[in-house]
């Protein structure tokens, strides 16, 4: 973790961004809860939405940028609040995966060809996972 320390300290030193980190994480929690509810209430629309992931360069780019924002916010907020290394590492993983999505959209699209049908087959479990993650984000941002 020591190699990440200077970067994380830089994120923490940006005190004006504390509110930004919190807002991004809460919006991500709302998104995940809305996704979970849509799976439960309107599963066909949820399937349609999920089927759109990585479908175009624009969608891919938006997904990558949003993932990077959530990852940076999670890493910065977790480090700032002393929430533990695992949450910092999850944030770093989101940032690194966002860079892959943004820099290698073809690879992401190929992965989506496998991942989307799999997610649709286990849609209720996918929705439950989104709910758990959304509740978890709400919980860590209530400190």
């Amino acid at each position: 973790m020591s190699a990440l320390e200077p970067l994380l300290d830089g994120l923490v030193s940006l005190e004006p961004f504390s509110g930004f980190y919190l807002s991004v994480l809460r919006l991500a929690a709302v998104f995940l809860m809305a996704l979970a509810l849509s799976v439960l209430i309107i599963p066909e629309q949820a399937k349609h939405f999920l089927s759109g992931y990585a479908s175009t360069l624009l969608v891919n780019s938006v997904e990558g940028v949003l993932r990077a924002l959530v990852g940076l916010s999670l890493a910065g907020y977790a480090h700032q609040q002393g929430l533990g290394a695992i949450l910092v590492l999850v944030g770093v993983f989101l940032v690194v995966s966002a860079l892959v999505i943004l820099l290698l959209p073809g690879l992401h699209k190929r992965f989506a060809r496998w991942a989307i049908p799999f997610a649709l087959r286990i849609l209720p479990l996918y929705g439950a996972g989104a709910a758990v993650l959304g509740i978890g984000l709400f919980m860590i941002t209530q400190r």
Side-chain angles (χ1 to χ4, degrees):
M1 186 70 151
S2 62
L4 294 174
E5 218 50 51
L7 173 63
L8 295 172
D9 287 340
L11 289 172
V12 170
S13 70
L14 299 173
E15 192 62 38
F17 286 100
S18 295
F20 177 76
Y21 297 154
L22 193 58
S23 296
V24 168
L25 294 176
R26 287 183 177 162
L27 284 172
V30 168
F31 168 78
L32 289 167
M33 293 303 297
L35 179 59
L37 285 173
S38 71
V39 165
L40 183 65
I41 298 169
I42 48 173
E44 289 307 312
Q45 285 85 347
K47 287 178 184 179
H48 180 72
F49 174 74
L50 292 172
S51 295
Y53 279 3
S55 58
T56 67
L57 187 56
L58 177 62
V59 169
N60 190 78
S61 299
V62 169
E63 183 182 346
V65 168
L66 293 177
R67 180 182 291 244
L69 281 174
V70 171
L72 283 171
S73 296
L74 182 59
Y77 184 78
H79 186 66
Q80 212 170 43
Q81 299 295 319
L83 294 176
I86 191 71
L87 288 175
V88 172
L89 289 174
V90 169
V92 170
F93 171 79
L94 288 172
V95 172
V96 170
S97 64
L99 291 174
V100 171
I101 287 170
L102 290 167
L103 297 174
L104 301 169
L107 179 66
H108 186 228
K109 193 168 192 158
R110 283 194 299 278
F111 176 74
R113 276 189 234 133
W114 169 83
I116 292 170
F118 178 73
L120 296 180
R121 280 194 303 275
I122 61 164
L123 192 62
L125 185 59
Y126 189 92
V132 167
L133 290 172
I135 291 167
L137 277 178
F138 273 131
M139 290 173 62
I140 69 167
T141 59
Q142 298 306 310
R143 299 183 99 212

